[in-house]
Amino acid sequence: MPEKEIHNVVTKPRLVVRKFLARPQHEGLGAIVRRSIGRFELKYFDPFLVLDEFSVTAPAGFPDHPHRGFETVTYMLQGSVTHEDFEGRKGTIGAGDLQWMTAGRGIVHSEMPAAQGTQKGLQLWINLSSKNKMIEPNYQEVSSKGIPEASKDGVRVKVIAGEALGAKSPIYTRTPTMYLDFTLKPKAHVQQPIPSSWNAFVYILEGEGVFGNSKAASTTEHNLLLLGFGDGLEVWNKSGKPLRFILVGGEPLSEPVEQFGPFVMNTQEEIDQTIDDFDNYTNGFEKARHWRSEAGISLGF
């Protein structure tokens, strides 16, 4: 990520300006997702396109599908998922593992359960600037043990992207991004700086907490909180149980957005060209002509 000065002290805490409860819906092949960004009330929160909390049990999953023009960040919470793509890459990510995939000019892949029972995780779509939309696809994968962690005064954070409590992630973010997984013990309190020009949100995974203002009402799990202006976030866990949430921030691209499902470009003409490229196996989609994932073949796709 390009260097960005982040001060250690929060002088103007961001307040919660909007709140959304992510309700379950069906997606892919029998998967259940709680979509908080990318829904009709919040189609885009620059530079973030989608945030899904997914739950999938075999044979359900996300069989062969394309992407162009953005990045997908998959962070596993429970179980494991196997990923395959038309370049021949294949791998499995388990609980606590991270895959940061840059689709760039084009990728076709599948994401399917790799274990018995229910697999759970988060998938975040991050938009790419016009200069990066047609770069070559790329992966950054980090195991749970490789994600930096820090703890202080009842607060633990896993630094997926950016930095917190002195720990810094090795992930390179083409669109400057911070992605932090916080757990607060009962009665714990934390301040986390956020660059003042960035957009930022919180998604609560477990428990309940007070965000932005110590006198605000507490908010429970599966809620997305959009944060207003300021240089950081303050959080209090006033409950008797642990609070777990992600804090995500990113530098707005301030560019036009045209989206057609898994394709995200800047103009309708670019979307039309992308559809033509995909339909005719050209300009980045050549290998899609003869490729099917192992999972797709077994399911008859």
Side-chain angles (χ1 to χ4, degrees):
M1 183 177 73
E3 289 297 324
K4 183 79 178 182
E5 184 178 1
I6 299 179
H7 298 288
N8 293 323
V9 178
V10 175
T11 60
K12 186 179 179 183
R14 294 179 181 230
L15 302 179
V16 176
V17 294
R18 295 181 74 184
K19 180 173 75 171
F20 301 93
L21 175 63
R23 302 182 186 278
Q25 66 183 58
H26 289 276
E27 189 78 11
L29 179 67
I32 303 295
V33 304
R34 292 177 179 268
R35 178 161 298 167
S36 49
I37 299 175
R39 54 199 270 173
F40 71 92
E41 307 103 315
L42 186 62
K43 291 186 177 180
Y44 184 53
F45 186 51
D46 194 5
F48 306 111
L49 296 153
V50 167
L51 177 65
D52 283 343
E53 179 184 2
F54 63 84
S55 177
V56 57
T57 304
F62 305 95
D64 307 5
H65 59 279
H67 294 294
R68 173 182 278 181
F70 60 98
E71 298 183 301
T72 67
V73 182
T74 305
Y75 182 45
M76 293 300 298
L77 302 175
Q78 173 183 307
S80 56
V81 166
T82 292
H83 169 272
E84 300 177 65
D85 76 14
F86 69 177
E87 293 285 353
R89 302 182 186 93
K90 182 178 180 180
T92 299
I93 56 174
D97 295 346
L98 171 73
Q99 182 194 77
W100 198 292
M101 184 187 81
T102 303
R105 68 197 300 255
I107 201 81
V108 178
H109 73 159
S110 69
E111 301 154 294
M112 301 295 290
Q116 297 297 314
T118 301
Q119 331 302 313
K120 296 182 179 182
L122 299 171
Q123 188 166 93
L124 176 69
W125 292 14
I126 305 174
N127 202 5
L128 288 169
S129 65
S130 57
K131 68 180 181 181
N132 286 325
K133 285 190 176 295
M134 295 297 286
I135 62 176
E136 291 297 319
N138 182 62
Y139 291 85
Q140 300 175 82
E141 295 185 337
V142 184
S143 69
S144 178
K145 294 181 179 179
I147 296 176
E149 288 190 32
S151 298
K152 183 180 180 181
D153 299 333
V155 176
R156 180 174 66 89
V157 62
K158 297 188 72 173
V159 184
I160 297 164
E163 57 184 292
L165 299 183
K168 189 171 184 178
S169 169
I171 291 290
Y172 173 73
T173 61
R174 288 162 182 80
T175 300
T177 304
M178 66 187 305
Y179 189 149
L180 309 173
D181 176 3
F182 279 101
T183 300
L184 274 62
K185 293 181 179 179
K187 312 310 176 187
H189 161 250
V190 68
Q191 288 189 334
Q192 172 59 41
I194 305 168
S196 58
S197 61
W198 289 15
N199 285 331
F201 67 85
V202 163
Y203 185 76
I204 303 171
L205 295 170
E206 299 174 19
E208 60 180 283
V210 176
F211 296 84
N213 183 333
S214 64
K215 297 181 180 179
S218 62
T219 306
T220 57
E221 60 192 22
H222 308 307
N223 273 287
L224 178 90
L225 308 178
L226 299 188
L227 304 178
F229 296 108
D231 61 5
L233 175 66
E234 279 196 271
V235 183
W236 296 261
N237 181 2
K238 297 184 179 183
S239 75
K241 297 180 179 180
L243 163 67
R244 186 181 183 189
F245 64 92
I246 60 167
L247 170 61
V248 180
E251 185 172 69
L253 298 175
S254 301
E255 294 182 355
V257 176
E258 287 291 337
Q259 180 172 0
F260 183 78
F263 305 137
V264 183
M265 303 300 288
N266 295 108
T267 67
Q268 184 59 51
E269 290 76 16
E270 292 170 340
I271 289 291
D272 293 342
Q273 182 62 56
T274 296
I275 295 170
D276 186 68
D277 290 343
F278 179 65
D279 288 345
N280 293 287
Y281 309 108
T282 58
N283 198 22
F285 290 110
E286 290 83 356
K287 293 183 180 180
R289 182 187 296 272
H290 302 294
W291 180 80
R292 297 293 182 274
S293 68
E294 292 179 14
I297 292 171
S298 68
L299 291 170
F301 289 99

